[in-house]
């Protein structure tokens, strides 16, 4: 990856690598004890035509404990970004089986697994979360890394 900050790179360049680093680190951390669940840049389907809940299915499923895992990464800007639509979809999946969010901080080389509900509590804290618009139309929450890493790790 170039020295240009990931978040400031063009969408096509980000999309081609999005999630790769965090998912690779997650697979290392769990020693492969999981199974792929959600899509990973599929080429054979037109993703925008699929329902949001299908497009935003969690990345992995684990047993013992049974749960879905959504992998997220953050870097030099030290902000965890999550779209409102993705959050809503993860809540729907959470009704089937608990969802946890595994976060990889590539800048400080640290990881944490947090419950979706704990992340919600941060999102509902106006002094903590920033709100932005992705692509000028999608509502995005931005949470400081130190706030995320202060949550209880449920690895």
């Amino acid at each position: 990856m170039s020295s240009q900050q990931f978040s400031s790179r063009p969408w096509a360049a980000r999309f081609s690598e999005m999630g790769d680093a965090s998912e690779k680190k997650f697979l290392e951390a769990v020693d492969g004890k999981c199974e792929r669940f959600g899509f990973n840049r599929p080429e054979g389907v037109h993703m925008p035509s699929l329902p949001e809940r299908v497009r935003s299915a969690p990345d992995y499923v684990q047993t013992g404990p049974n749960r879905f895992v959504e992998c997220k990464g953050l870097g030099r800007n030290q902000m965890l970004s999550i779209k409102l639509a993705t959050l809503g979809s993860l809540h729907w999946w959470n009704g089937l089986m608990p969802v946890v969010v595994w976060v990889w901080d590539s800048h400080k080389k640290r990881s944490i697994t947090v419950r979706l509900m704990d992340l919600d509590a941060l999102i509902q804290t106006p002094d903590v979360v920033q709100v932005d618009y992705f692509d000028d139309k999608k509502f995005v929450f931005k949470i400081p890394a130190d706030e995320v890493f202060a949550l209880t790790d449920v690895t």
Side-chain angles (χ1 to χ4, degrees):
M1 185 179 345
S2 74
S3 61
Q4 184 182 16
Q5 191 168 5
F6 185 82
S7 62
S8 65
R9 293 169 63 206
W11 171 248
R14 288 184 293 158
F15 185 74
S16 70
E17 298 174 10
M18 194 177 303
D20 291 352
S22 62
E23 290 187 21
K24 179 180 177 188
K25 287 295 184 179
F26 169 72
L27 291 171
E28 290 172 8
V30 300
D31 196 25
K33 294 183 175 129
C34 63
E35 192 63 44
R36 182 86 202 166
F37 188 75
F39 289 107
N40 186 21
R41 292 187 296 279
E43 296 178 14
V45 294
H46 184 249
M47 291 298 285
S49 67
L50 296 175
E52 178 67 36
R53 289 177 180 160
V54 174
R55 290 192 315 264
S56 298
D59 297 312
Y60 294 94
V61 63
Q62 288 184 304
T63 57
N66 292 351
R67 62 191 187 179
F68 291 118
V69 180
E70 176 69 7
C71 295
K72 292 285 183 189
L74 55 95
R76 279 182 277 199
N77 74 358
Q78 290 295 283
M79 297 295 277
L80 176 66
S81 296
I82 187 164
K83 293 181 203 139
L84 176 61
T86 300
L87 190 63
S89 294
L90 292 176
H91 277 280
W92 185 83
W93 289 102
N94 196 66
L96 299 175
M97 191 164 59
V99 172
V100 296
V101 179
W102 191 87
V103 180
W104 169 245
D105 179 347
S106 62
H107 183 65
K108 294 189 176 179
K109 308 295 185 225
R110 60 184 176 168
S111 66
I112 188 170
T113 305
V114 298
R115 293 179 307 157
L116 183 61
M117 298 307 166
D118 291 341
L119 206 53
D120 276 350
L122 283 181
I123 288 169
Q124 295 173 30
T125 309
D127 297 351
V128 172
V129 74
Q130 295 176 18
V131 178
D132 202 355
Y133 289 93
F134 171 76
D135 209 13
D136 292 325
K137 60 184 174 184
K138 296 177 183 174
F139 203 61
V140 178
F141 298 108
K142 294 188 174 188
I143 309 162
D146 288 341
E147 296 289 342
V148 174
F149 281 86
L151 295 172
T152 301
D153 192 330
V154 295
T155 301

